[in-house]
Amino acid sequence: MYALADCNNFFASCERVFRPELNGKPVVVLSNNDGCAVARSNEAKALGIKMGDPYFKIRDIVERNHVAVFSSNFSLYGDMSRRVQEVLHLFAPSVEPYSIDEAFLDLNGMDVDFDAYAKQISRTCRRLTAIPVSVGIAPTKTLAKIASKLCKQYPKLEGGCYLNRPQDLEKVLKIFPVEDVWGIGRRSVKKLETLGIKTAWDYTQLPETAVRKLFMLPGFRTWNELKGIPCIEFEDLIEPKQTICVSRSFAHELKTLPELAEQVANFAEMAVSKLRKQGSLALEMAVFAMTNRFKEDAPQTTGGVYVTLPEATAEHKTLILASADACRKLFRPGFAYKKAGVVITKLVQARDYTPSLFQDAEASDRDARLSGAIDRIHASFGPGAILFGAQGDGIIRMAREHQSPHYTTLWEDIPGVVVK
DNA sequence: TCTGGGGTCCTAGGACCC
DNA sequence: TCTGGGGTCCTAGGACCC
């Protein structure tokens, strides 16, 4: 038996924790550069604001309805996420964090009233973190997802729902749209439409051979999961990432190589930080850049350059220099670059790597000490406290007109209470 | 004027091996 | 004229997730 705990409208809910007067009011949270709506409270959804809507297109709705707008504040969301996960650990020996706002709980072997347990988990999260959480419990992860969605739809479930009895499953799956099933994406929905498949139940009634042929292994797993046969394993061990990517859109387009190269160097530095945190080394890196695809009349280009590193490394200097090199190869004059990024495409765990016999040990020791010093400076004074010359003045500041304070992660932003 | 960022898994097909 | 059978590894691209 698995539980899925899913935070409702997570980023919007985080903002409300410290602005309780916004409860019951429409709230949206924007992506980087205040570009798109990436989280909406139920009230904002009811106004017709969709996930991913560009801000400039919904500005009218926002102003007419006094929607509270926030720029993204990931240090707040990350910290709130950690708190919710901590609460979840009170209810199950193993918890699998699935995304910033979701986690699976392994309830196998537990002998409890699962419906009451689901509601209790939700209630406790709410009380200890002030975040509303929907908890679905079912014999497979896919069904647990469906159960948690039901909680959001039906307030009378009090945030928790147990889905296992065959007659309940049939009733629920017969009204559950197939496009809302975890693992069924847009492309599959198109195929399903031509077959006349509308609900999750319809999907389970397809013959096995058809499912395997049309939707391959992933679709076959989903098909089984919907029928209560677990095919997606519980993974509570946090594996090191297989790729690391840092990319950004720029508030203003960049037209010169030095400007672009500086930003790419900054992305490389951020990627190295992530790399070092998980104890990996990079074997290969890619740099990419592209123009603004929405400007149809402007000349368009998009490209990437791979760099194979002579030695696996997690040193700032090597990777930043390599990124600048790649950027020079990539850059084409006459284009206005809107977005760029650095991807570390091949990683190896440091403990699994044997350096080349012919490596310059002295130089690599020097670089390692430099990187260690940079890490310590960042830890004490914050990221960006020290930069390589290649990074220019650091990353271009993003548009963030509506950012809330870092309530839980910065001393000067901690909320105060006035006692009269 | 203004349009996000970061991941995983699977498959087909090519290159190569004996 | 006739031209086998079985395997691995790698990569690009597709599909999906939040």
Side-chain angles (χ1 to χ4, degrees), chain A residues 167-284:
Chain A
Q167 61 268 41
D168 294 342
L169 279 167
E170 182 169 343
K171 209 165 82 183
V172 167
L173 296 188
K174 278 186 169 166
I175 57 161
F176 199 85
V178 73
E179 62 265 30
D180 292 345
V181 172
W182 187 44
I184 306 281
R186 278 207 311 273
R187 303 302 291 257
S188 299
V189 169
K190 280 208 175 142
K191 285 191 212 168
L192 289 165
E193 260 169 24
T194 67
L195 295 170
I197 305 295
K198 293 192 176 68
T199 66
W201 180 260
D202 295 340
Y203 188 67
T204 63
Q205 300 306 299
L206 281 171
E208 178 180 330
T209 47
V211 171
R212 296 192 82 130
K213 195 169 168 213
L214 287 169
F215 307 106
M216 309 292 181
L217 195 50
F220 179 58
R221 286 192 187 131
T222 299
W223 184 75
N224 276 307
E225 287 248 325
L226 286 172
K227 301 208 273 190
I229 304 160
C231 286
I232 302 173
E233 282 188 25
F234 189 83
E235 294 163 26
D236 55 343
L237 292 178
I238 299 168
E239 297 288 331
K241 299 224 182 306
Q242 300 168 28
T243 61
I244 287 174
C245 175
V246 175
S247 74
R248 293 287 181 279
S249 296
F250 308 122
H252 304 288
E253 287 153 2
L254 305 182
K255 293 180 180 161
T256 70
L257 175 58
E259 287 177 292
L260 185 67
E262 278 184 6
Q263 292 309 301
V264 165
N266 280 287
F267 301 155
E269 193 279 322
M270 290 192 271
V272 172
S273 294
K274 292 186 183 186
L275 185 70
R276 297 176 69 79
K277 276 198 185 108
Q278 70 165 26
S280 300
L281 304 175
L283 286 163
E284 185 186 79

Side-chain angles (χ1 to χ4, degrees), chain A residues 19 82 107 291-292 294 301 307 331 341 380 405:
Chain A
R19 296 280 303 278
R82 183 189 56 75
L107 306 180
T291 45
N292 189 344
F294 295 103
T301 184
V307 186
F331 180 80
S380 301

Side-chain angles (χ1 to χ4, degrees), chain A residues 58-129:
Chain A
I58 56 169
R59 207 163 227 154
D60 274 359
I61 306 179
V62 164
E63 280 164 12
R64 265 204 310 280
N65 298 282
H66 304 106
V67 178
V69 176
F70 291 93
S71 303
S72 51
N73 182 349
F74 281 99
S75 45
L76 174 64
Y77 312 148
D79 189 57
M80 294 306 291
S81 171
R82 183 189 56 75
R83 293 173 186 217
V84 172
Q85 307 268 355
E86 251 179 56
V87 176
L88 295 177
H89 277 280
L90 303 173
F91 292 94
S94 38
V95 174
E96 174 193 339
Y98 178 66
S99 72
I100 193 163
D101 69 337
E102 282 174 72
F104 289 102
L105 282 66
D106 186 357
L107 306 180
N108 283 307
M110 290 183 65
D111 182 22
V112 292
D113 173 347
F114 284 117
D115 192 68
Y117 204 56
K119 291 172 169 54
Q120 192 195 342
I121 296 172
S122 174
R123 209 166 44 239
T124 310
C125 286
R126 184 67 185 253
R127 189 160 54 78
L128 296 181
T129 68

Side-chain angles (χ1 to χ4, degrees), chain A residues 279 281 349-353:
Chain A
L281 304 175
Q349 280 301 95
R351 60 165 185 278
D352 298 336
Y353 182 70

